[in-house]
Amino acid sequence: MLKGIGASQGYGIGKAVVISDAKLDYNHVKFTTAQNEKDRLQKAVDTFIKETRKLADDVKKSAGDKEAEILEGHIVMLSDPFMLSQMQENIDAGSVAEKAVDTVCTMFIDMFSGVDDELTKQRASDVKDIKDSLLHILLGVNQVDISKVEKGSVLIAKDFTPSMTGQINKDNVSAILTEVGGITSHSAILARAMGIPAVLSIPNVCGEVKNGDLVAVDGFNGKVIVSPSDDEIKDFEKKQEAYLKDKESLKQYFGKPTVTKSGIKKAVYGNIGKAEDVQNVLQNSGEGIGLFRTEFLFMDRQNEPSEEEQFEAYSTVAKAMDGKEVIIRTLDVGGDKDIPYLNIEKEENPFLGHRAIRYCLYNKELFKKQLRALLRASVFGNIKIMLPLVTCVEEVRKAKALIEECKEELKCEGKEYRSVDVGIMVETPSAVFISDILAKEVSFFSIGTNDLTGYTMAVDRGNAKVENLYDVFQPSVLRAIETTIKNAKAAGIQVGMCGEAAADTKLIPYLIEWGLDEFSVSPGSILQTRKTICEYDK
Ligand code: PEP
Ligand code: MG
């Protein structure tokens, strides 16, 4: 049996699909002759064109002409004699085929991403795809098409990037296993959002499990059985059945008000990462959105989303929630959330560095684009702006001043917008200590226990070795939460929690006692959270 961290509840059984993490590293490839390297290059290009043409035909049938056009565009780009001749020149100068591909494609990527035009910038992302595919072919590294795995697959990888999770068809994936990540890592958050059982931080799982092995995954206890016996399968299926029955019984809480036994009203909201997730919240009877992690809009692309793209995403969510509260967090980048094209400098201590609100206040143009999109989208619903990682009053005042500046600009441009409430995440000890002062500056708090636990306990939230200290029940963390709620109450502002602890059935009674108003949890935990609140006798 393999053991890891149970990061997304549920039981899953299925065939292993191991997604190799083979790096596209070609340092070991030796230069033979220029002719040989050119032949290797030509063969790789031919294979790429053949495979891409077949993929384009398949996509045309399944998704339509528009999607297929992107792939056909890749063929046209690579058929351009200029690109190929540049690669050949590199080979003549002594490069192996891999280096020639890397150098020339990177040159094009840099050139395209520097242009201030969305279509040209998209080209950079196309060339990146071409580069990766050619390097995979040249190095003989297999690429698994995650979107096409068979029903009943258990996906195994060192880690899942948002683009990998984005390709997952949740009907076909029974479970997810990784070698890294903890309960608050982004793989875990995304697995929970999709309702797929996940066990993370299993040492060497990519080596321990072979492609095609049958695996039974227990996402509650973080256990994985490879090649289970008939008895083990039966036992597993029994547990799965009982779990599904429990889940079914939660449906009685659909659409029910969230009130404690003695009639105190609370609200259960959902956390989302992209506009489409809003459906998941509605399907689970969420009363609002308590956290839209907008960094996901910025990830897995070559350039930042434009104001229009952001406006589209925020207004889609606002419309879908039909007047219910939608709390959108401004870009929370840095720390464990790297976005390469934003060129965040490598730092000794990224969690204590230039991240979140600090990065945004420094990169005003980028921040203002997001604020403008939020102000404009608020015309379509009940949007509130939430600032991440606040540590001092000045940050809030500066952000509010920028919001006012954006309003002025929009007014001059004749663009419609609404005034929106501004709140903060309380996720640093500093914000807790001054929460009485901060409460006078903002309309609401949302407690981010994922970071607050880490910063309070001085523990890296992704490091399995100090996992025992990463505990929301540590007295210091409990006191931090209690202080924040009490200071919000004293100032008369709304206080919610959007860290994972908001769904912790053992913590919920304390949160109710202290007076938390709103619990924002992953969509799959909404009904259980409502049940726990409704059953509490206060
Ligand atoms: C938190 O820190 O609790 C939080 C909700 O934000 P994130 O997990 O995205 O850092
Ligand atoms: Mg956080």
Side-chain angles (χ1 to χ4, degrees), residues 158-178:
K158 215 174 176 66
D159 196 9
F160 282 85
T161 63
S163 76
M164 287 160 84
T165 14
Q167 294 173 53
I168 290 176
N169 173 351
K170 62 178 190 237
D171 296 333
N172 291 349
V173 176
S174 304
I176 288 173
L177 307 179
T178 71

Side-chain angles (χ1 to χ4, degrees), residues 135-175:
L135 289 177
H136 274 102
I137 297 168
L138 282 164
L139 293 164
V141 175
N142 278 337
Q143 273 174 299
V144 174
D145 185 346
I146 295 176
S147 63
K148 297 229 174 76
V149 295
E150 284 174 20
K151 199 170 175 60
S153 296
V154 172
L155 297 183
I156 306 175
K158 215 174 176 66
D159 196 9
F160 282 85
T161 63
S163 76
M164 287 160 84
T165 14
Q167 294 173 53
I168 290 176
N169 173 351
K170 62 178 190 237
D171 296 333
N172 291 349
V173 176
S174 304

Side-chain angles (χ1 to χ4, degrees), residues 25 40 71 76 78 95 142 149-150 152 173 218 227 255 277 288 293 329 363 368 379 381 391 405 439 464 477 479 504:
D25 178 4
R40 289 181 62 231
L71 292 166
V76 173
L78 199 54
S95 294
N142 278 337
V149 295
E150 284 174 20
V173 176
D218 173 349
S227 307
D277 296 344
R293 289 183 162 96
R329 176 172 77 185
N363 292 283
K368 277 175 70 181
V379 172
T391 50
E405 217 173 289
V477 184
R479 273 193 190 173
D504 188 319

Side-chain angles (χ1 to χ4, degrees), residues 184 186 189 271 291 293 295-296 329 332 336-337 355 425-427 447-452 461 470 498-500:
T184 59
H186 284 84
I189 288 165
N271 292 347
L291 168 65
R293 289 183 162 96
E295 62 271 17
F296 284 103
R329 176 172 77 185
D332 186 2
D336 57 344
K337 300 154 186 167
R355 55 171 298 205
M425 294 206 53
V426 177
E427 53 183 344
I447 306 173
T449 46
N450 302 346
D451 275 316
L452 185 58
R461 75 189 223 185
Y470 186 87
C498 59
E500 297 305 318

Side-chain angles (χ1 to χ4, degrees), residues 246-258:
D246 269 0
K247 229 176 140 185
E248 191 59 31
S249 81
L250 285 177
K251 287 200 176 142
Q252 60 180 297
Y253 289 94
F254 191 96
K256 285 264 162 64
T258 310

Side-chain angles (χ1 to χ4, degrees), residues 195-244:
I196 300 175
V199 179
L200 311 185
S201 266
I202 310 171
N204 190 30
V205 66
C206 296
E208 296 281 347
V209 186
K210 304 271 163 304
N211 255 324
D213 279 351
L214 187 68
V215 273
V217 179
D218 173 349
F220 291 95
N221 301 304
K223 290 182 189 157
V224 178
I225 310 173
V226 185
S227 307
S229 66
D230 286 350
D231 281 349
E232 281 172 326
I233 293 177
K234 263 191 214 132
D235 182 47
F236 195 84
E237 284 173 346
K238 242 193 236 155
K239 282 190 198 151
Q240 195 170 23
E241 211 175 292
Y243 166 64
L244 292 176

